[in-house]
Amino acid sequence: YHPQQQGRDSISTTIWVPGFPGSGSELFRKLISAMTGLPAGDIYESSTKKCSMYPATCKTHCPFLQPSQVCPSDRRLKVGCKKACEQPVSYRENYFDENSWLLLRNPKNALPSHENWVYEAHRSMTTHSQQMPQSAWRKVRDKNFRASVSGWANTIKWWTLGDMTNFGAAAGVTAGDNERDARLNFMPPPRIQHPYNTSLIIAYEHLTSPIHGPRLLRRIATELSKANIRVPIRELEDGGDPWPCFWAQIVLNSNSTTKRSSEGRYVPSFRRGQQDKLVAMLDELIDRYTIASPRADIVPILQYYREDIASNLKLDAT
């Protein structure tokens, strides 16, 4: 327990917040810090900021980006070493809550967001400062598509189902189709398990919505209180709801900086075959969480992603 932290009770615990890279973890950290007055940790930062310093929450991309698989075999992703998968299992005993919260974002946006982070990091740019040229996006999209889609799906599976035994690649995606996919499998070793219950699914699209966002923050505040983390945001004197104003102050300010590129702003596109693979992957997840491992909180989100990708995904011109 961490009584030395303001805003904490003596029996408070830190909550893991996993998500595929590019799913809004930095925005979420800003919201948590503003809500609680406590740091929102990042397992990949320096020892003074990472999760050993008893933050309210802790960001992780595990099981994505295994250091032994990524760093030695791909120079382009050398920066990914600092996003290594430090197993959350080893942190459970002392101060982590039994529950975790999973961040989700539509893969049509999460995949290019992650690749853009790599592009900026490789060039020592400020994060979220510039959109990569469209030609660069298409190149890395095709190079990394199989591994990234498997990584997106398996992040959900690992945190909601508890282990990765016999999961394999996502539907329509064979991670071993070529030598590079075998090296960059982006999956934890077989039979690694974790002791956490994913109690809250947080869709980036809900978090950034002026309708759903304030309601979601109220729910998050309730969940924080269950971990004995105080949220000192009070009802307005006139009895009004403080969350819309709080949401706007944090989220709208965070979105005020837009990425630019020499080619101008563009919407990342995909190939027709990649669209089919994304739809097949989401169909497999929807079936799993509808029938085999029912989760009413995740199925509507996956269905929305599936329909959006099937109907609205921007495709390369033929």
Side-chain angles (χ1 to χ4, degrees):
Y1 60 89
H2 327 294
Q4 71 274 29
Q5 291 283 356
Q6 292 184 353
R8 282 190 172 277
D9 292 333
S10 60
I11 57 172
S12 62
T13 50
T14 296
I15 301 168
W16 282 111
V17 183
F20 183 85
S23 297
S25 57
E26 291 306 309
L27 171 61
F28 190 73
R29 290 177 67 201
K30 290 179 182 178
L31 284 165
I32 291 297
S33 293
M35 289 172 69
T36 64
L38 295 168
D42 183 343
I43 197 66
Y44 312 110
E45 289 186 348
S46 64
S47 60
T48 58
K49 298 179 181 179
K50 66 192 301 183
C51 299
S52 60
M53 300 304 292
Y54 317 128
T57 60
C58 186
K59 159 189 167 181
T60 179
H61 297 312
C62 189
F64 195 71
L65 290 177
Q66 294 276 348
S68 61
Q69 294 170 326
V70 176
C71 303
S73 58
D74 192 333
R75 267 182 197 278
R76 187 190 68 86
L77 283 177
K78 187 174 181 181
V79 292
C81 295
K82 70 179 183 180
K83 286 187 175 290
C85 178
E86 296 194 35
Q87 294 295 344
V89 177
S90 62
Y91 290 87
R92 173 68 184 97
E93 292 183 359
N94 294 325
Y95 55 86
F96 274 88
D97 196 78
E98 64 181 359
N99 293 313
S100 62
W101 303 343
L102 178 63
L103 284 177
L104 291 184
R105 189 181 186 185
N106 194 323
K108 78 171 190 179
N109 297 318
L111 269 61
S113 178
H114 170 55
E115 293 293 355
N116 208 90
W117 177 87
V118 175
Y119 177 88
E120 291 171 324
H122 186 69
R123 292 159 179 79
S124 300
M125 295 178 176
T126 302
T127 303
H128 300 154
S129 65
Q130 182 171 328
Q131 187 179 33
M132 73 171 77
Q134 193 167 13
S135 58
W137 154 244
R138 288 174 174 167
K139 182 178 180 179
V140 296
R141 173 201 67 188
D142 293 344
K143 186 177 183 181
N144 302 329
F145 181 79
R146 287 188 179 92
S148 295
V149 173
S150 289
W152 191 91
N154 287 327
T155 298
I156 298 174
K157 291 177 180 179
W158 197 66
W159 282 96
T160 57
L161 301 176
D163 66 69
M164 287 293 297
T165 305
N166 299 321
F167 280 0
V173 179
T174 302
D177 277 351
N178 57 48
E179 182 181 355
R180 183 177 186 282
D181 284 342
R183 294 200 312 267
L184 299 182
N185 201 12
F186 294 139
M187 292 169 59
R191 293 178 295 279
I192 285 183
Q193 298 180 337
H194 67 76
Y196 302 99
N197 169 52
T198 300
S199 62
L200 185 60
I201 306 294
I202 302 169
Y204 176 85
E205 294 76 15
H206 289 169
L207 196 64
T208 56
S209 163
I211 297 175
H212 298 288
R215 299 174 190 168
L216 182 54
L217 292 184
R218 181 181 288 277
R219 168 78 187 280
I220 290 168
T222 300
E223 295 299 315
L224 285 168
S225 67
K226 294 178 182 177
N228 296 302
I229 298 173
R230 296 190 295 273
V231 179
I233 296 178
R234 307 181 187 283
E235 299 295 328
L236 301 178
E237 292 183 1
D238 61 0
D241 185 356
W243 293 107
C245 181
F246 177 85
W247 175 90
Q249 183 178 7
I250 305 300
V251 174
L252 296 184
N253 286 343
S254 296
N255 290 340
S256 62
T257 302
T258 58
K259 294 176 181 174
R260 300 178 177 86
S261 75
S262 58
E263 296 183 14
R265 189 86 170 128
Y266 66 89
V267 177
S269 62
F270 291 81
R271 297 181 183 273
R272 174 75 66 180
Q274 293 169 340
Q275 180 187 41
D276 293 341
K277 286 182 170 62
L278 285 169
V279 169
M281 176 268 290
L282 288 164
D283 281 340
E284 187 271 337
L285 289 174
I286 291 168
D287 287 346
R288 178 181 289 270
Y289 292 111
T290 301
I291 301 171
S293 306
R295 288 214 48 152
D297 55 348
I298 195 171
V299 169
I301 298 171
L302 296 174
Q303 289 174 330
Y304 166 75
Y305 293 164
R306 196 262 186 211
E307 295 306 313
D308 185 47
I309 288 172
S311 303
N312 304 317
L313 188 69
K314 183 177 180 181
L315 300 175
D316 291 348
T318 56

